[in-house]
Amino acid sequence: MKIMKFGGTSVGTPERMKSVVNLINQGEKVIVVLSAMSGTTNALIEIAGMLVSGNNASALNRIEALRARYHDVINELYSTQEYRNEALKMADEHFNYISSFVNGTFSRSMEKSIIAEGELLSTNLFSLLLQEMKIKSELIPALNFMRIDKYGEPDLYYITENLNRELAKYPDTDIFVTQGFICRNSFGETDNLKRGGSDYTASLAGAAIGASEIEIWTDINGFHNNDPRYVDNTFPVRQLSFDEAAELAYFGAKILHPSTINPAREKNIPVRLKNTMDPADPGTIISRDYELKDYKAVAAKDGITAIRIRSDRMLMAYGFLRKVFEIFESYRTPIDMITTSEVSVALTIDNTLYLKEIEKELSELGHVEIEENQSIICIVGDFRTERTGSAPEIFEALDTVPLKMIAYGGSPYSISLLIDTKDKVKSLKLLNQHLFPEIYGN
Ligand code: ADP
Ligand code: ASP
Ligand code: MG
């Protein structure tokens, strides 16, 4: 059995949804994971925000505009009036639920229930489409098996037990459809796996059933060597190892949710990235294998905060770093990059929820400086020193960009740099020209 996940643009129009039917209906057993139709999650987040701030009239306008959009989709998606009517009834129930919050009291905990409606709508529409086309399938609710613990981490044991139990109910079914992104938390409330989380649903479901492959279908021909949103002339990288892909996804490559690779790597399940608009293209395969190249790909992650701690007490002392790490651990705040000198340590975080508390405790160890609006650039390649030395092309490329931190040597396959976010686009472009000269005809 394999997993096929389709993102927002892949199910974003009636025409796209119909082409997804062709892709999944190939006689193989499959779990189809769907995102919300593109634009829906953003709209729902806006609506929830309006309700939280008591802006109920605007919320209602926005809800009705979204309802009208879904009515248009439904009128085009189905070929019979019977299914149109059924889908309109289903969609109206969802929109009536959302608008019921306009006249009631609204608390933050209800936000997640509204945001979940996007995936509930897309999977219901898709299931009805399969029914109209007489393709046997079952819709299995993600809220029955996808669960996070009190720290927001997926509970793979629970997911495995419950997903397999759902599947076992339908031994004669080949096509299962479920929602990406949404889950229950440890209180049993509706929650989610954070933005872009449908990829993570796909890999968690893949790990839970021991899938033969996890396919992520999106709107581009696989994993590109650089961020195509900022850089022209990027190209697909056809093969990546789990480690390389995990590093790039964690450090900002939007094509994959940052945690997608972990469950697949753990169970050694290949992840294939494919383009729904161009299914013949081979895309990218991510597996245990390494196809080493000097430079394979570059990604960047924004929203980074650098913290520098300077203390003479570090001089010739041991145990100082442990004290620093313990502070971050007690606030469950992961550290991304770290560098040290004899009397100072610099590190970065992206979760600033407890920054004030962390700063206060660190200042008992030394002088603390905080710098926000930073970005990490991650370059993946082969940096075993006997081959590429100290990767001179990177530093040549960025000789006009102030580098705030450099992490080199932690892994032979990646180098991370900290820069000001305002220098990010320029840096990505310069790296493209210097590290991949073949595309510029050099
Ligand atoms: P989906 O809705 O299918 O999940 P996303 O928008 O989340 O799609 O991810 C696909 C997008 O990721 C691409 O359209 C592209 O703009 C962006 N992207 C960023 N970095 C990369 C990269 N290295 N390779 C491919 N796409 C990337
Ligand atoms: N619909 C969710 C989002 O927009 C999840 C996803 O698309 O992966 O973030
Ligand atoms: Mg995505």
Side-chain angles (χ1 to χ4, degrees):
M1 196 176 219
K2 68 176 180 177
I3 310 288
M4 297 177 84
K5 174 262 168 175
F6 294 87
T9 17
S10 301
V11 293
T13 62
E15 192 195 345
R16 295 257 67 85
M17 267 204 205
K18 287 181 205 163
S19 56
V20 169
V21 174
N22 294 331
L23 293 170
I24 62 157
N25 191 24
Q26 304 283 341
E28 252 189 279
K29 264 186 170 293
V30 58
I31 300 181
V32 180
V33 176
L34 299 185
S35 294
M37 296 179 78
S38 51
T40 303
T41 306
N42 285 346
L44 293 169
I45 289 172
E46 245 180 74
I47 289 165
M50 288 168 179
L51 290 169
V52 168
S53 56
N55 202 348
N56 290 13
S58 310
L60 192 58
N61 274 338
R62 200 76 183 80
I63 295 167
E64 292 313 316
L66 197 60
R67 187 198 299 260
R69 180 180 155 210
Y70 273 79
H71 282 195
D72 289 345
V73 166
I74 289 166
N75 285 325
E76 206 184 319
L77 184 60
Y78 302 96
S79 44
T80 60
Q81 200 53 43
E82 182 197 346
Y83 275 89
R84 266 182 223 127
N85 289 343
E86 190 159 343
L88 286 169
K89 189 164 150 262
M90 177 279 295
D92 279 339
E93 278 168 17
H94 284 275
F95 283 102
N96 293 344
Y97 168 73
I98 302 171
S99 56
S100 72
F101 291 107
V102 173
N103 297 319
T105 47
F106 190 76
S107 70
R108 272 205 177 269
S109 65
M110 295 165 186
E111 260 184 291
K112 302 269 177 72
S113 298
I114 290 190
I115 294 167
E117 290 294 317
E119 273 69 14
L120 294 169
L121 277 161
S122 65
T123 47
N124 277 329
L125 290 176
F126 190 73
S127 279
L128 281 173
L129 180 63
L130 291 172
Q131 277 176 41
E132 187 184 47
M133 295 171 88
K134 309 257 179 303
I135 298 169
K136 186 174 159 60
S137 70
E138 288 297 336
L139 178 58
I140 48 171
L143 296 181
N144 288 359
F145 64 86
M146 198 49 73
R147 188 181 158 107
I148 50 175
D149 63 18
K150 63 179 179 194
Y151 301 117
E153 292 297 325
D155 180 344
L156 193 56
Y157 178 78
Y158 180 97
I159 297 167
T160 303
E161 293 281 298
N162 287 279
L163 174 55
N164 284 299
R165 184 177 308 136
E166 288 287 323
L167 298 177
K169 288 186 199 161
Y170 312 102
D172 302 327
T173 300
D174 286 341
I175 299 176
F176 293 91
V177 179
T178 194
Q179 300 85 18
F181 179 57
I182 66 174
C183 62
R184 286 195 192 278
N185 60 26
S186 55
F187 303 108
E189 300 160 341
T190 301
D191 210 316
N192 62 60
L193 301 172
K194 310 228 171 79
R195 294 310 304 268
S198 299
D199 302 328
Y200 201 17
T201 303
S203 65
L204 288 164
I209 62 157
S212 54
E213 188 164 288
I214 297 160
E215 296 181 358
I216 309 281
W217 290 77
T218 180
D219 56 4
I220 189 163
N221 291 348
F223 209 114
H224 278 218
N225 69 311
N226 203 329
D227 196 322
R229 293 170 297 171
Y230 305 114
V231 180
D232 296 330
N233 296 321
T234 61
F235 58 87
V237 182
R238 297 305 182 186
Q239 195 281 341
L240 286 168
S241 68
F242 288 128
D243 293 344
E244 291 169 333
E247 195 99 14
L248 291 162
Y250 185 75
F251 285 120
K254 188 194 174 222
I255 187 167
L256 287 176
H257 177 284
S259 308
T260 312
I261 297 300
N262 301 343
R265 171 167 51 190
E266 203 131 298
K267 296 276 159 73
N268 190 23
I269 303 170
V271 178
R272 196 180 291 276
L273 309 183
K274 295 276 290 177
N275 188 350
T276 317
M277 274 55 104
D278 184 9
D281 185 273
T284 298
I285 182 83
I286 300 167
S287 69
R288 212 176 241 182
D289 301 332
Y290 277 88
E291 260 177 34
L292 294 174
K293 270 182 66 189
D294 288 356
Y295 299 109
K296 283 187 94 168
V298 178
K301 177 174 171 177
D302 297 336
I304 302 292
T305 298
I307 303 173
R308 293 187 180 79
I309 309 130
R310 204 192 130 78
S311 169
D312 292 342
R313 275 186 280 160
M314 243 183 114
L315 205 64
M316 310 279 287
Y318 48 82
F320 186 84
L321 282 179
R322 180 179 50 77
K323 288 185 197 135
V324 171
F325 288 149
E326 271 172 1
I327 293 172
F328 287 88
E329 190 184 347
S330 68
Y331 290 102
R332 297 189 68 83
T333 300
I335 296 168
D336 286 334
M337 268 177 90
I338 176 155
T339 57
T340 62
S341 80
E342 189 50 42
V343 288
S344 60
V345 49
L347 45 83
T348 70
I349 58 171
D350 71 346
N351 178 356
T352 52
L353 191 61
Y354 297 107
L355 183 59
K356 280 276 152 289
E357 290 85 344
I358 290 172
E359 183 180 3
K360 186 160 173 279
E361 289 196 29
L362 286 175
S363 58
E364 284 162 28
L365 299 179
H367 174 72
V368 181
E369 263 174 42
I370 309 259
E371 201 171 11
E372 288 171 317
N373 301 319
Q374 305 291 293
S375 294
I376 291 177
I377 294 204
C378 168
I379 301 137
V380 159
D382 181 4
F383 306 118
R384 289 171 298 169
T385 44
E386 67 273 24
R387 275 181 51 85
T388 24
S390 53
E393 292 84 357
I394 295 175
F395 300 99
E396 274 162 33
L398 300 181
D399 65 354
T400 56
V401 178
L403 302 180
K404 305 289 195 68
M405 278 170 78
I406 301 171
Y408 178 31
S411 145
Y413 307 119
S414 74
I415 292 180
S416 304
L417 310 168
L418 187 75
I419 56 163
D420 266 336
T421 300
K422 66 176 170 43
D423 294 326
K424 180 187 75 171
V425 174
K426 172 184 168 188
S427 302
L428 289 175
K429 287 181 174 163
L430 285 168
L431 287 166
N432 220 50
Q433 287 159 15
H434 283 76
L435 307 189
F436 308 98
E438 62 273 23
I439 44 179
Y440 297 90
N442 298 336

